[in-house]
Amino acid sequence: MALLKSSKIISTVRVHPPLGALSIRASSWWSEVQMGPPDPILGVSEAYKRDTNPKKMNLGVGAYRDDQGKPYVLSCVRKAEAQIAAKKLDKEYLAIGGLGDFTKACAKLALGDNNEVIKSGRNITVQTISGTGSLRIGANFLSRFHTEARDVYLPKPSWGNHTPIFRDAGMQLKAYTYYDPKTCGFDFQGALNDISKIPEKSIIMLHACAHNPTGVDPRPEQWKEIANLVKKRNLLVFFDMAYQGFASGDIDRDAWAVRYFIEQGHNIVLSQSFAKNMGLYGERVGGFTVVCKDAEEAKRVESQLKILIRPIYSNPPMNGARIAATILNTPDLYKEWLGEVHGMANRIITMRELLVANLKKEGSTQNWQHVIDQIGMFCFTGLKPEQVARLTKEFSVYMTKDGRISMAGVTSGNVGYLAQGIHAVTK
Amino acid sequence: IMSLFGEVPQATPVAVFKLSNDFKEDANPKKVNLGVGAYRTDEGQPWVLPVVKKVEKIIVADNSLNHEYLAILGLPEFRSSASKIALGEDSPAIQENRVGAVQCLGGTGALKMGAEFLRRWYNGNDNTKTPVYVSAPTWENHNAVFANAGFEDIRPYKYWDAEKRGLDLDGFLGDLESAPKHSIFVLHACAHNPTGTDPTHVEWMQVAEVMKRRKLFVFFDSAYQGFASGCLDKDAWAVRYFVTQGFEMFCAQSFSKNFGLYNERVGNLTIVARDSDNLKRVLSQMEKIVRVTWSNPPSQGARLVAITLNTPELFAEWWDNVKTMADRVLLMRASLQAKLQALETPGTWDHITQQIGMFSFTGLNPKQVEYMIKERSIYLMASGRINMCGLTTKNIDYVAESIHETVVNVQ
């Protein structure tokens, strides 16, 4: 159309651009591309950044902050970095499956040092781009090879990014009851009821510890019943463990559910992230594990995981994995790390207690026990969307619409202000 | 319990990595690895660029730096400086605010993001049937990247003329003319992998003319900028020419080779759009794709590159390091060609010095390649591709003699 017009103009206009260029400039390939909505979680941080209120609080994304509200680079991480720098290593490509020293240690951390699975070589653990990358590889793997079922059952609610990841990989998403808004706790019976109806061979996603976004975890006896029921239903278990160490402060305690399921004979798939527990967020350190029938099957699965990884990013980044491996494999650094994780978890527990104490001081008559009962980085406050909106607008407290706050963003300096705000919108 | 993965077949290993593996296990002291594409010094060692070492020290010493998440699209100072490297600092497209970028995991990651975006948004909302053309031959992962992104119709375009050991321009132009409108073409910006054969400026202009007329999509893969000629601007000529021709296009950049940052996965998808509004919407959709793939990219490598590119003395030092690598490759090319000529090895060997970049398509056939590996412990790809960086002043005689012996004894 533009071409026709310009040919008519040529005779009357003296100066004009070359015909070809005019028709190209007329349109764009991307005219029909819609503006994508901002990411619900990461979008919160962007909005926070734009706010000029000096009292603003970012309780959106789950990144740990110290009591000054500053990012915390673990001391064991700095030490590991210094050690690595001194070694003058090269920058040659890693294998597709990643750094061996890292993947071995990663599996040991999750499954326990003397786990029979590791001893018999029947797990395959590959290095991934943190937790997201791990979930994505897992989703791709299941989509391609778990042809018996397309359905992934997520707890209701689950991390916001679970759904788009699995959907993009071609899976269908369903949900099982998990959170009880009446108690702000675990709806155990509801979960069992729903799980008992899940069709055989479906995939069920379980948060290993420190459930995101609710902070509500099953107790060990409840995990046992879930494991039993899941076995009866013959479901494929996908554990997402993004907070090992961060929940209770104890590495082994936080991995208890994962290890129990394996003991009970579930051949699980597992995603691990070192973003939070080692503070390596931007270095993208994670692992994906498939527990197989035997070592031979593990080899076959490994070969297929490589085929999946190669066309996405070829091989994973070295820096973070090297740091994590150094920490996990060096006894004093490992010990120091356990102490620091414990420290981070403790600060969060303290903030929970302080928040509740301050709410009471403000005169709130609501029941805030769940703030203390919930575990890990996040707290499902129970605030409704309108209350969240007010908290953001009137107090510049940024959080996700579902009422989730990152306790890591709370400090002894701002917990009072937070309590004020929450009380104001809930009284 | 029956295993859910009982039916998972053993996949064939990725060729280039298997080659490296076999090389590692070979006990022959004279063995030479001309396989995987990574730079080697004249001692046959990996080379961490001096400027990289310097910047690493700067980073380690800077206590104000932490390991927080980068934005979904990556480190802003990395993205913009990387795009400037590709398009030129004074690129009108940059000045017109219609250039954007996505920091990705290496060149592979950049290709992946571009492919995923195109499949969803290029020509309508479902481009699974849109043809994607890759050169014959091409980097073996191109096919998998696009197939994995959902493209069902991936086709070769004529490129390498095996007989004349050069570019099949007529074939290339012919395929451009006959490709369905809106087809996507993956073009190698410079130092074509695996052939080392690049179009001349005039030939690129011819390619651009057809692509513009037939509304074909331009997707550059730029993995060797600086590495080909030793000059960053020279190596970017084709990309910049296409920009002047008004194309909306993608350019997948890798900093693996020219920064020697292979394992830090430093890549950038540069996007040239019609205007800033289109660009904005494109970037917003890129974010969605990034979020379900890796959430946000790794920070170390991008930081390193950004500091280097944005600090004049470091930038100059980097340019120098790049030239060092390119020069050594040029020297090895000249040496190998001279030795083969001196040995009077049958065939013509001018292509060794005419080709450019890390790789050379020797012209050795699969039988000859097998002979080189089995009888001489010289490892190269079945296609006859050798990595010039694997040659050193110490092994070049052995390699030249081996090629000679192979060509004479094996047909």
Side-chain angles (χ1 to χ4, degrees):
Chain A
M1 237 172 25
L3 203 59
L4 256 165
K5 273 206 193 118
S6 55
S7 62
K8 288 216 180 107
I9 293 169
I10 282 169
S11 50
T12 51
V13 175
R14 270 184 231 133
V15 181
H16 57 85
L19 259 172
L22 189 67
S23 58
I24 288 289
R25 270 195 223 111
S27 67
S28 166
W29 283 126
W30 319 126
S31 324
E32 302 308 305
V33 174
Q34 295 143 28
M35 187 70 190
D39 182 278
I41 299 169
L42 301 179
V44 170
S45 283
E46 324 235 313
Y48 164 85
K49 270 193 216 132
R50 292 192 290 268
D51 192 322
T52 51
N53 183 345
K55 290 189 138 184
K56 65 181 180 178
M57 288 177 68
N58 187 358
L59 303 182
V61 74
Y64 181 80
R65 294 286 175 264
D66 63 17
D67 202 48
Q68 271 65 55
K70 295 269 173 292
Y72 173 59
V73 177
L74 278 64
S75 157
C76 64
V77 166
R78 288 219 190 276
K79 288 195 177 123
E81 287 176 306
Q83 272 185 32
I84 292 165
K87 284 202 183 129
K88 302 188 192 312
L89 301 162
D90 64 41
K91 301 211 169 288
E92 294 299 288
Y93 287 122
L94 283 177
I96 301 175
L99 183 65
D101 285 346
F102 167 73
T103 54
K104 288 196 193 66
C106 176
K108 277 208 184 126
L109 184 69
L111 308 186
D113 266 345
N114 291 311
N115 194 289
E116 155 275 318
V117 165
I118 296 180
K119 287 211 178 111
S120 62
R122 65 185 185 94
N123 68 300
I124 169 61
T125 301
V126 292
Q127 180 188 337
T128 56
I129 315 302
S130 207
T132 301
S134 177
L135 289 161
R136 185 53 197 259
I137 296 301
N140 286 357
F141 178 73
L142 293 174
S143 184
R144 187 172 281 185
F145 293 104
H146 187 61
T147 47
E148 295 88 338
R150 308 271 74 202
D151 293 337
V152 178
Y153 284 77
L154 302 178
K156 211 181 333 177
S158 193
W159 180 45
N161 206 18
H162 276 148
T163 295
I165 290 172
F166 281 99
R167 185 169 291 145
D168 204 60
M171 309 297 284
Q172 323 260 56
L173 279 310
K174 301 231 160 70
Y176 59 90
T177 300
Y178 187 86
Y179 178 71
D180 186 346
K182 290 198 287 297
T183 60
C184 292
F186 183 39
D187 184 348
F188 183 42
Q189 274 317 307
L192 290 178
N193 283 343
D194 281 356
I195 295 174
S196 68
K197 299 197 193 85
I198 297 179
E200 291 204 15
K201 308 229 172 117
S202 302
I203 299 155
I204 182 168
M205 167 74 67
L206 302 169
H207 295 220
C209 63
H211 180 272
N212 180 359
T214 69
V216 168
D217 287 347
R219 289 190 306 272
E221 325 82 78
Q222 295 171 322
W223 271 127
K224 286 183 176 168
E225 279 203 56
I226 294 169
N228 204 26
L229 179 57
V230 164
K231 189 187 285 190
K232 272 212 198 82
R233 298 302 307 146
N234 193 12
L235 307 177
L236 198 171
V237 174
F238 198 143
F239 265 112
D240 185 355
M241 185 155 69
Y243 300 98
Q244 188 184 4
F246 221 102
S248 68
D250 182 318
I251 293 291
D252 295 311
R253 218 166 126 189
D254 288 351
W256 184 86
V258 170
R259 297 174 189 183
Y260 180 77
F261 270 67
I262 291 175
E263 248 174 69
Q264 295 303 301
H266 295 270
N267 284 348
I268 67 168
V269 303
L270 165 70
S271 282
Q272 290 169 261
S273 167
F274 289 84
K276 285 82 171 171
N277 60 13
M278 281 195 182
L280 290 175
Y281 309 92
E283 303 295 340
R284 320 309 292 126
V285 193
F288 177 67
T289 294
V290 181
V291 176
C292 301
K293 189 179 70 183
D294 52 40
E296 186 274 334
E297 181 174 278
K299 281 264 154 293
R300 281 184 284 115
V301 170
E302 177 182 19
S303 72
Q304 294 296 346
L305 288 173
K306 288 179 177 173
I307 301 282
L308 283 168
I309 291 171
R310 174 81 163 144
I312 302 177
Y313 53 85
S314 277
N315 40 69
M318 166 66 95
N319 196 49
R322 178 75 78 193
I323 294 170
T326 302
I327 292 171
L328 295 173
N329 294 323
T330 310
D332 337 306
L333 290 182
Y334 184 72
K335 197 158 162 233
E336 186 171 4
W337 174 55
L338 292 181
E340 290 191 274
V341 173
H342 193 78
M344 290 192 284
N346 267 0
R347 193 184 88 67
I348 294 201
I349 291 169
T350 306
M351 289 305 107
R352 290 179 179 279
E353 290 162 0
L354 272 180
L355 178 57
V356 173
N358 274 277
L359 282 164
K360 291 203 174 114
K361 223 171 47 184
E362 289 290 322
S364 179
T365 52
Q366 316 270 357
N367 178 359
W368 296 105
Q369 185 56 33
H370 55 282
V371 172
I372 294 183
D373 290 343
Q374 289 166 7
I375 194 168
M377 200 178 280
F378 298 113
C379 169
F380 233 36
T381 54
L383 290 180
K384 303 196 187 43
E386 323 82 73
Q387 294 168 323
V388 171
R390 276 190 64 197
L391 200 49
T392 302
K393 192 149 173 253
E394 296 169 31
F395 292 86
S396 292
V397 172
Y398 288 81
M399 51 199 281
T400 47
K401 275 204 305 267
D402 53 10
R404 181 193 89 165
I405 59 175
S406 169
M407 292 308 301
V410 182
T411 68
S412 47
N414 64 24
V415 66
Y417 178 71
L418 177 61
Q420 258 176 53
I422 293 179
H423 176 58
V425 307
T426 55
K427 62 180 175 201
Chain B
I1 318 168
M2 263 299 289
S3 169
L4 292 157
F5 306 123
E7 302 307 306
V8 173
Q10 174 76 30
T12 42
V14 178
V16 69
F17 297 122
K18 178 173 189 307
L19 195 75
S20 277
N21 222 44
D22 292 345
F23 169 81
K24 244 191 258 165
E25 295 175 0
D26 190 326
N28 185 345
K30 290 189 134 188
K31 65 182 179 178
V32 182
N33 188 357
L34 301 179
V36 75
Y39 179 78
R40 291 284 175 268
T41 63
D42 197 52
E43 284 72 44
Q45 292 303 311
W47 192 51
V48 177
L49 274 58
V51 73
V52 166
K53 286 188 189 156
K54 216 179 253 188
V55 180
E56 274 182 329
K57 287 210 182 86
I58 294 174
I59 293 175
V60 162
D62 189 346
N63 276 325
S64 74
L65 292 175
N66 53 43
H67 293 290
E68 291 298 292
Y69 288 124
L70 289 181
I72 300 176
L73 296 180
L75 189 66
E77 43 287 22
F78 165 76
R79 294 157 56 207
S80 55
S81 58
S83 291
K84 286 203 179 119
I85 290 292
L87 305 186
E89 237 188 22
D90 45 10
S91 171
I94 294 179
Q95 278 153 22
E96 288 159 19
N97 290 319
R98 55 192 189 85
V99 173
V102 182
Q103 178 191 336
C104 296
L105 271 83
T108 305
L111 288 161
K112 165 70 173 179
M113 280 304 140
E116 285 286 348
F117 179 87
L118 290 172
R119 194 254 297 155
R120 290 149 214 260
W121 295 106
Y122 166 49
N123 190 24
N125 282 9
D126 177 5
N127 287 270
T128 50
K129 309 270 187 285
T130 303
V132 175
Y133 283 79
V134 298
S135 65
T138 194
W139 180 47
E140 109 286 336
N141 203 20
H142 274 150
N143 216 290
V145 169
F146 282 88
N148 210 262
F151 287 96
E152 295 168 4
D153 185 358
I154 300 171
R155 312 177 181 184
Y157 60 87
K158 295 188 195 63
Y159 193 82
W160 169 250
D161 186 332
E163 255 188 73
K164 75 171 219 227
R165 291 193 186 164
L167 179 69
D168 178 3
L169 180 67
D170 287 339
F172 187 1
L173 294 175
D175 281 347
L176 288 169
E177 291 285 2
S178 63
K181 264 197 179 161
H182 307 316
S183 296
I184 296 163
F185 273 74
V186 180
L187 308 171
H188 297 229
C190 69
H192 182 271
N193 177 359
T195 69
T197 300
D198 291 343
T200 62
H201 289 190
V202 171
E203 289 167 344
W204 272 126
M205 287 163 85
Q206 291 175 269
V207 168
E209 189 273 324
V210 183
M211 291 190 77
K212 190 189 295 193
R213 184 170 25 89
R214 308 214 58 257
K215 302 203 190 323
L216 304 172
F217 187 80
V218 176
F219 198 148
F220 271 111
D221 182 355
S222 178
Y224 300 98
Q225 190 182 359
F227 217 101
S229 69
C231 171
L232 288 155
D233 295 320
K234 250 173 144 174
D235 290 351
W237 187 88
V239 174
R240 296 175 190 184
Y241 176 74
F242 274 70
V243 173
T244 64
Q245 294 304 293
F247 284 96
E248 282 186 303
M249 54 195 250
F250 287 173
C251 179
Q253 302 169 260
S254 167
F255 291 90
S256 292
K257 284 81 171 175
N258 61 15
F259 256 91
L261 286 174
Y262 308 94
N263 68 20
E264 297 297 1
R265 316 312 293 124
V266 196
N268 196 47
L269 177 70
T270 286
I271 299 154
V272 182
R274 182 70 54 233
D275 53 45
S276 61
D277 181 63
N278 276 293
L279 177 68
K280 196 164 60 146
R281 283 178 285 107
V282 169
L283 289 176
S284 74
Q285 293 298 344
M286 287 283 182
E287 280 193 351
K288 303 279 143 261
I289 303 170
V290 169
R291 186 63 164 142
V292 298
T293 314
W294 55 61
S295 268
N296 40 72
S299 82
Q300 178 73 357
R303 240 176 211 166
L304 239 149
V305 172
I307 291 172
T308 307
L309 297 183
N310 291 317
T311 313
E313 321 86 74
L314 296 173
F315 181 76
E317 188 171 352
W318 173 55
W319 192 293
D320 212 63
N321 290 169
V322 171
K323 193 160 187 310
T324 299
M325 292 191 284
D327 284 349
R328 195 180 96 67
V329 168
L330 289 168
L331 182 63
M332 289 300 103
R333 285 185 179 280
S335 288
L336 182 61
Q337 199 243 13
K339 286 185 198 293
L340 290 172
Q341 267 188 322
L343 288 168
E344 292 180 350
T345 307
T348 56
W349 300 99
D350 291 339
H351 56 284
I352 302 241
T353 41
Q354 279 160 9
Q355 287 164 7
I356 195 167
M358 200 181 274
F359 301 113
S360 175
F361 234 34
T362 54
L364 293 174
N365 65 41
K367 281 234 287 290
Q368 293 167 329
V369 168
E370 211 189 320
Y371 186 89
M372 289 277 279
I373 297 175
K374 287 214 164 79
E375 302 305 319
R376 310 291 292 188
S377 290
I378 296 179
Y379 289 77
L380 64 160
M381 302 297 288
S383 60
R385 182 192 93 168
I386 61 173
N387 177 3
M388 299 306 300
C389 301
L391 293 173
T392 69
T393 49
K394 292 161 205 72
N395 67 24
I396 196 156
D397 285 318
Y398 178 66
V399 173
E401 281 153 22
S402 303
I403 292 177
H404 180 84
E405 187 191 292
T406 305
V407 168
V408 165
N409 291 326
V410 183
Q411 269 80 51

